[in-house]
């Protein structure tokens, strides 16, 4: 039997796989260096949860007399880990010199840390909203420990703050970490107000240019999506506002699909399995029903 040409096959394919195709060269980032580490960003999110909810996600003893000590340890570690990941992201997205990249990464990390008290405040409003909207929960601690909306919103509010600071790449990675874990897909570019509740959550999609007001509750399978895309001269979608605006005190029930740059007026209720592509005024009730609707309700 002829000798199996292992070396020849490996060497030939090493050469082929090492060569960059025109398509690959178009996809390579402008800078050089390592990509942001998913593991490093997972560690950052674990630290943020332990900082924001110190009585729940820190393995050390729950002792309020010393909690400032372990919050301080976690905050210092977060600065170290996150600044390294931001540095990696910046090296791929601009032409700064290495020392400039380091300084900018440190500056952005400190700016983000300045945002943490507000992120914490917003997250506790989300916990309260979930508690107030679900009779199945007995206490706030159960929401924090068990409900997927908490992980989704920790990641979303972190990613949104980083995006606002101009940090590249990392906000999308952080959002996708929560998406993979919970089935809730929130683009970091979406604007979401206080007291936001997602019940169950699986299959929820919130697009990049969505605007959501205060005291909004949505259920599983809800999509806030784009109806269509505007294309540039090269046929590439243009990033313009294309997702819904949901005003204050709106409830959207399971599997409703709301598409396009339309407005759902405050105090409205959107029923389950509704397909909505036109704006509705404040106080609307958009329902599916085979029975006559009371005055003021819309039948779909």
């Amino acid at each position: 039997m002829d000798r199996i040409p292992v070396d020849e096959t490996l060497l030939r394919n090493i050469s082929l796989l090492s060569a960059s195709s025109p398509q690959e060269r178009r996809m390579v980032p402008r800078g050089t260096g390592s990509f942001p580490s998913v593991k490093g960003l997972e560690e950052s999110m674990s630290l943020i949860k332990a900082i924001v909810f110190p009585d729940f996600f820190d393995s050390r003893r729950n002792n309020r007399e010393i909690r400032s000590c372990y919050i301080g340890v976690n905050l210092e570690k977060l600065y170290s880990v996150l600044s390294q990941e931001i540095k990696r992201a910046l090296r791929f997205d601009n032409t700064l010199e290495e020392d400039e990249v380091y300084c900018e990464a440190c500056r952005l990390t400190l700016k983000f840390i300045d945002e943490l008290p507000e992120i914490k405040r917003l997250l506790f409003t989300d916990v309260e909203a979930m508690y107030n909207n679900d009779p199945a929960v007995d206490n706030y601690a159960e929401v924090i420990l068990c409900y997927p909306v908490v992980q989704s919103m920790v990641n979303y509010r972190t990613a949104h703050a980083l995006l606002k600071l101009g940090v590249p790449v990392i906000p999308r990675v952080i959002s996708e970490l929560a998406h993979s874990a919970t089935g809730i897909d929130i683009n970091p570019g979406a604007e979401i107000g206080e007291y936001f509740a997602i019940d169950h959550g699986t299959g929820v999609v919130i697009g990049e240019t969505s605007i959501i007001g205060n005291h909004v509750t949505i259920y599983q399978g809800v999509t806030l999506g784009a109806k269509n895309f505007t294309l540039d001269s090269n046929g590439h979608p243009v990033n313009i506002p294309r997702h819904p605006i949901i005003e204050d005190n709106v409830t959207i029930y399971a599997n409703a699909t709301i598409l396009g740059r339309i407005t759902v007026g405050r105090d409205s209720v959107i029923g389950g399995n509704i397909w909505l592509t036109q704006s509705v005024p404040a106080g609307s009730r958009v329902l599916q029903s085979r029975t006559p609707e009371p005055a003021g309700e819309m039948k779909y």
Side-chain angles (χ1 to χ4, degrees):
M1 180 181 293
D2 293 338
R3 184 178 68 85
I4 298 174
V6 175
D7 292 344
E8 293 87 339
T9 300
L10 293 178
L11 288 169
R12 181 175 68 254
N13 283 283
I14 288 170
S15 177
L16 290 171
L17 293 167
S18 298
S20 296
S21 67
Q23 293 89 345
E24 184 180 355
R25 285 193 291 272
R26 286 203 306 270
M27 298 176 188
V28 172
R30 292 189 292 272
T32 59
S34 301
F35 282 109
S37 162
V38 172
K39 184 177 179 180
L41 293 174
E42 288 174 337
E43 183 179 5
S44 296
M45 293 313 306
S46 294
L47 289 166
I48 289 169
K49 285 177 71 175
I51 291 165
V52 172
F53 299 111
D55 301 326
F56 296 89
F57 298 108
D58 193 296
S59 60
R60 285 161 285 201
R61 183 181 174 204
N62 178 5
N63 184 329
R64 290 186 175 273
E65 294 180 358
I66 63 169
R67 80 182 207 159
S68 62
C69 297
Y70 56 76
I71 288 174
V73 170
N74 286 336
L75 200 59
E76 186 175 20
K77 189 172 183 180
L78 174 65
Y79 172 77
S80 176
V81 175
L82 186 58
S83 62
Q84 177 64 27
E85 300 308 326
I86 292 176
K87 179 181 175 182
R88 289 171 171 169
L90 290 173
R91 290 176 68 186
F92 273 107
D93 205 56
N94 58 46
T95 57
L96 294 176
E97 297 296 330
E98 186 64 22
D99 58 341
E100 295 176 307
V101 168
Y102 174 80
C103 291
E104 181 66 0
C106 294
R107 186 188 71 83
L108 289 171
T109 306
L110 291 173
K111 292 286 287 183
F112 170 75
I113 287 172
D114 277 338
E115 296 291 328
L116 279 174
E118 176 63 6
I119 290 172
K120 178 176 180 175
R121 185 191 72 79
L122 289 168
L123 287 169
F124 273 91
T125 71
D126 300 332
V127 171
E128 186 173 344
M130 195 67 253
Y131 175 81
N132 290 335
N133 279 280
D134 189 357
V137 65
D138 292 326
N139 53 66
Y140 294 107
E142 186 178 343
V143 175
I144 295 170
L145 288 170
C146 304
Y147 279 48
V149 63
V150 174
Q151 181 169 347
S152 294
M153 293 307 291
V154 170
N155 283 45
Y156 158 73
R157 295 207 185 275
T158 295
H160 184 71
L162 290 168
L163 184 70
K164 288 290 189 182
L165 290 171
V167 175
V169 181
I170 287 175
R172 289 302 304 270
V173 177
I174 289 174
S175 293
E176 290 305 319
L177 290 174
H179 182 196
S180 299
T182 67
I184 299 170
D185 182 2
I186 307 177
N187 190 288
E191 300 278 351
I192 301 178
E194 304 175 348
Y195 298 93
F196 182 59
I198 305 177
D199 201 2
H200 303 293
T202 306
V204 165
V205 177
I206 299 175
E208 178 190 21
T209 62
S210 300
I211 299 175
I212 299 174
N214 301 324
H215 297 278
V216 171
T217 299
I218 66 178
Y219 287 77
Q220 68 272 16
V222 167
T223 296
L224 305 182
K227 184 178 179 182
N228 48 45
F229 302 103
T230 300
L231 304 179
D232 63 19
S233 58
N234 296 317
H236 190 271
V238 178
N239 190 6
I240 59 174
R242 59 197 180 278
H243 299 101
I245 299 170
I246 310 298
E247 294 185 346
D248 296 349
N249 304 311
V250 170
T251 299
I252 307 173
Y253 284 99
N255 300 312
T257 299
I258 304 175
L259 301 180
R261 194 58 162 186
I262 64 174
T263 298
V264 176
R266 62 178 297 122
D267 302 310
S268 293
V269 174
I270 308 299
N273 299 300
I274 290 293
W275 180 276
L276 186 64
T277 58
Q278 63 188 44
S279 295
V280 296
S284 297
R285 292 174 60 83
V286 184
L287 308 172
Q288 279 193 354
S289 176
R290 295 183 180 178
T291 58
E293 290 75 34
E297 296 189 354
M298 301 180 185
K299 179 178 178 181
Y300 274 68

